[in-house]
Amino acid sequence: MANDDSIDDLLDELDTHDDLTRTEQSVSIRMERRRYDKPVTILEGFDLPHADVAELASTLKRSLGTGGTVDDGRIELQGDHRGRVPELLRDQGFTVTE
């Protein structure tokens, strides 16, 4: 039974480390106009594995009801979502700079 406790403690510590990693990151949000003057919201500054960025992108796209992609470690969301994205990122534990 003592082994189970040490594994639980390790898992708790790893979860805490993930939260610290997110709060230490400063994510920037900007908007660009692309083809046909369509707005794209760009989130940059992630220092996470690609799979984690892709998972976050999927969560944001679902929350916003929009499309998007992950390209070179940044998230690109279709539309101008600068008003809603900061709150969603803060809810996920990130520090946001605008």
Side-chain angles (χ1 to χ4, degrees):
M1 287 285 177
N3 192 22
D4 288 339
D5 290 338
S6 64
I7 290 173
D8 289 340
D9 292 341
L10 179 62
L11 290 174
D12 289 341
E13 186 178 324
L14 289 173
D15 285 342
T16 304
H17 177 70
D18 186 44
D19 291 342
L20 288 175
T21 302
R22 286 185 174 204
T23 58
E24 291 170 354
Q25 294 185 49
S26 181
V27 178
S28 67
I29 302 169
R30 62 186 170 89
M31 198 267 302
E32 283 183 6
R33 294 229 174 245
R34 299 262 174 102
R35 292 174 100 174
Y36 309 109
D37 208 32
K38 299 254 183 186
V40 176
T41 304
I42 300 173
L43 292 72
E44 297 176 301
F46 297 103
D47 186 21
L48 297 171
H50 179 77
D52 291 347
V53 176
E55 182 181 328
L56 177 61
S58 181
T59 300
L60 292 172
K61 291 188 300 184
R62 255 192 324 275
S63 296
L64 297 166
T66 191
T69 188
V70 176
D71 187 30
D72 290 331
R74 68 176 181 251
I75 299 174
E76 298 180 2
L77 301 169
Q78 296 171 354
D80 184 356
H81 300 286
R82 292 175 293 177
R84 292 183 56 202
V85 169
E87 180 181 338
L88 293 172
L89 287 174
R90 287 183 189 110
D91 289 346
Q92 294 288 326
F94 290 95
T95 302
V96 178
T97 57
E98 297 178 61

